[in-house]
Amino acid sequence: MATLPVITTLIDDVVVVGNAEDTTISLFNHFDDPLTTGLVARFELYDTSLSGGITNVVLFDQADQGADLTVANFLNYVNDGDYVNTIIHRSVPGFIIQGGGFTANGLATAPTPASAIAVIPTNPPVQNEFSANRSNTRGTIAMAKVNNNPNSATNQWFFNLADNNDINNPFNLDNQNGGFTVFGEVISQSDLDVLDAIAAVPTFNRTTVFQQGAFTNIPLIFENPSNPTLTGDENFVRYKSITVSQQDELQFTVINNSNPSLVNPTISNNALLLDYLPGQIGTAQITVRATNLLGDTVEDTFVVTVDNTPPTTTGIGNIIVDEDANNSIINLFDAFADLQDSDVELTYAIANNSNPLLLTNTPINSTTGELTLDFAPDINGQTNITIRAQDTQGEFVETTFTVTVNPVNDNPVAENDN
C-alpha cells in the first residue's frame, strides 16, 4: 500500500551574507507521514523457526488520515497484556491469518485441551474507520468484526496475505461489511516473511478438541506431521508478546548539495543545519529526502544564496580649519571595514564634493588609504564631502562629512594720507 510521506510546507530559499551564523531548519515543520506518528508494534512469536518470529508493524495512528480510534483500541489490549500468549487461530493461505481472540497456556498439563484455551475479554466495539487510502493490501493489518455489523470490531485482528482489495477478488475486504479497517502495515520484507511462514503451517479443524467454533482452520505445529498429536503450547503459533514503541516517523537525509565549497548541510535531531564556509559567496541547491518507516520517500529542493558582506563605516568626523591651513590627511582604513575581506581589498572614491572651489584637490592613496584635503588659498566656507568604499563584488557604503574653513582677519595695511 502506498503511504507516501508528504511535504506540508516547502522549505524557503535561504539568503544570508558571508560568514553568517549557521541556519537551523526544523524538518518536521516541512514533512509529515499523514498516517502515523511513528508508533511501531512488535509481534514476537515463541517459535523463532518461523523466519525469526518477529513482525514489526507501523501503526496508522495519526488523526484524519490514519485510524486513530482503531489504534487506540488495539493499544488498550496491548497495554493490558491481553495479547500475551495470544495465538493465530485462523489461517487461510493466500488470504489472511487471524489472531487476537484467544490465548493458549499450559496445554501439556491441562486436564483437557479446551481448558488451556482462554478467550480474551473484549472492550466496547470501536467505530469502523475504513478508508480507501488504507486498503486491505498484502502485509497490512486490519480489525476483524461480526458479519453485517461494520462497527463491531473489538480485540481480533488479521494480517492480509494478499491484495484483498481487488474488485475481481471474491475475498475483497474493501467492499464488504463497510470495509475492514486497516490500521497498520509490516515494515519490511523480513516481517512479511514471518507472515508467509505462518501461512505455510498446516491447518486443522479442531473445533471439537478445543470447543471453539472459530478453530476450523487453526495452524498447528507438530514435530511429526504424520502423527499430529498435541503435546503442549509449542503446537500453537503463539505470540510471546506484542509491544508498541515510539519511533521517528520520518528519517531525513541530504541527497544533493550542488556547491559543497559554499555550504555544508548536515542533519541532527531532525533538524537541517546549514554551515557556511568562511570567505565564500555564491549559490547552492540543497535537496532533502524524507523516508517514512515503510521506506517511501519524498524530496524537497531549495536554494541557498550567500551574498557578499557589504563594507561598513564608522563615519568620518567633521573638520574645521582656519583659512590657509595646511592639508589635512584622513586614514580611510580607520573609517571603513569589509566584514568579509581585508581592508586593502576596498577601493575608495570621492562621490561628491559640494564646493570644489574650497577643496581643489582630494587625492586618495590606494596603498596607504590616505585621503588628502588640499585647501585653496584665501578661500573660506563649507563643503560636504562624500566618500564611497567599494569591495571587489561591487558592494559599497558611503559616508559624508563637512569641512568648514573659517575666515581669518588679515593684518590691516597702513595707507598714506598724502
Side-chain angles (χ1 to χ4, degrees):
M1 180 175 65
T3 58
L4 297 177
V6 297
I7 299 172
T8 55
T9 304
L10 291 171
I11 300 175
D12 291 332
D13 292 340
V14 176
V15 179
V16 298
V17 295
N19 297 330
E21 296 293 325
D22 292 356
T23 299
T24 301
I25 300 172
S26 177
L27 294 175
F28 273 119
N29 290 338
H30 299 276
F31 298 91
D32 184 38
D33 185 329
L35 295 183
T36 183
T37 66
L39 290 182
V40 174
R42 185 177 189 267
F43 292 67
E44 181 178 0
L45 292 169
Y46 280 100
D47 191 345
T48 59
S49 69
L50 297 172
S51 291
I54 304 294
T55 304
N56 294 290
V57 178
V58 57
L59 300 177
F60 299 151
D61 65 313
Q62 191 164 159
D64 296 330
Q65 295 192 44
D68 56 312
L69 299 178
T70 304
V71 171
N73 172 72
F74 175 77
L75 292 178
N76 284 337
Y77 291 101
V78 170
N79 294 334
D80 289 344
D82 293 331
Y83 291 145
V84 175
N85 296 325
T86 193
I87 62 173
I88 297 295
H89 65 269
R90 182 185 178 213
S91 175
V92 182
F95 181 39
I96 59 103
I97 56 173
Q98 185 170 335
F102 306 92
T103 61
N105 193 29
L107 177 63
T109 58
T112 65
S115 62
I117 301 298
V119 177
I120 295 176
T122 60
N123 298 324
V126 63
Q127 176 183 329
N128 192 38
E129 295 180 292
F130 171 76
S131 169
N133 293 326
R134 289 179 280 103
S135 189
N136 284 268
T137 55
R138 174 169 162 80
T140 57
I141 186 172
M143 295 304 298
K145 50 191 175 181
V146 177
N147 287 338
N148 302 316
N149 189 348
N151 298 309
S152 60
T154 54
N155 56 342
Q156 294 193 33
W157 39 260
F158 62 88
F159 285 104
N160 285 291
L161 299 175
D163 290 338
N164 295 319
N165 63 340
D166 189 336
I167 59 174
N168 298 315
N169 187 338
F171 298 134
N172 188 334
L173 298 180
D174 286 3
N175 290 338
Q176 56 175 288
N177 203 5
F180 286 79
T181 298
V182 167
F183 65 96
E185 185 172 0
V186 298
I187 288 179
S188 67
Q189 181 61 48
S190 62
D191 300 305
L192 199 56
D193 290 342
V194 178
L195 304 185
D196 291 337
I198 294 172
V201 175
T203 61
F204 301 85
N205 186 331
R206 290 293 186 265
T207 57
T208 301
V209 173
F210 294 115
Q211 299 179 15
Q212 291 292 343
F215 288 7
T216 56
N217 297 91
I218 182 171
L220 294 171
I221 303 169
F222 297 106
E223 185 175 349
N224 183 2
S226 62
N227 182 23
T229 302
L230 294 170
T231 57
D233 296 333
E234 68 277 2
N235 297 130
F236 297 100
V237 177
R238 189 170 69 127
Y239 287 100
K240 180 186 299 185
S241 65
I242 299 176
T243 56
V244 175
S245 63
Q246 180 69 59
Q247 301 184 23
D248 287 335
E249 65 184 83
L250 297 172
Q251 295 290 327
F252 301 103
T253 51
V254 176
I255 64 169
N256 180 60
N257 175 12
S258 67
N259 192 352
S261 64
L262 178 72
V263 58
N264 179 33
T266 59
I267 292 175
S268 176
N269 296 324
N270 300 313
L272 176 66
L273 305 179
L274 301 176
D275 178 22
Y276 309 104
L277 277 69
Q280 300 297 312
I281 61 172
T283 62
Q285 282 193 335
I286 307 295
T287 300
V288 177
R289 173 180 291 167
T291 304
N292 70 7
L293 289 165
L294 297 174
D296 301 312
T297 64
V298 68
E299 298 170 3
D300 187 17
T301 298
F302 63 100
V303 176
V304 173
T305 300
V306 181
D307 281 338
N308 186 58
T309 308
T312 61
T313 179
T314 57
I316 298 174
N318 294 332
I319 294 175
I320 300 176
V321 297
D322 290 335
E323 182 181 318
D324 296 330
N326 294 325
N327 297 340
S328 293
I329 297 177
I330 299 171
N331 191 325
L332 298 180
F333 287 173
D334 293 337
F336 295 92
D338 188 313
L339 296 181
Q340 179 165 285
D341 302 308
S342 63
D343 292 341
V344 295
E345 295 188 24
L346 295 176
T347 58
Y348 307 97
I350 303 296
N352 181 59
N353 177 6
S354 66
N355 190 352
L357 294 178
L358 185 68
L359 287 176
T360 59
N361 188 26
T362 51
I364 297 174
N365 187 317
S366 60
T367 301
T368 63
E370 292 179 340
L371 166 66
T372 301
L373 302 180
D374 188 1
F375 304 104
D378 300 324
I379 297 292
N380 56 69
Q382 281 188 335
T383 185
N384 294 321
I385 303 296
T386 300
I387 307 297
R388 172 178 293 183
Q390 182 169 306
D391 65 17
T392 57
Q393 302 300 320
E395 299 281 353
F396 66 89
V397 66
E398 295 178 342
T399 188
T400 299
F401 62 98
T402 300
V403 176
T404 301
V405 178
N406 292 324
V408 175
N409 291 328
D410 295 328
N411 292 327
V413 177
E415 296 183 358
N416 192 336
D417 291 335
N418 293 332

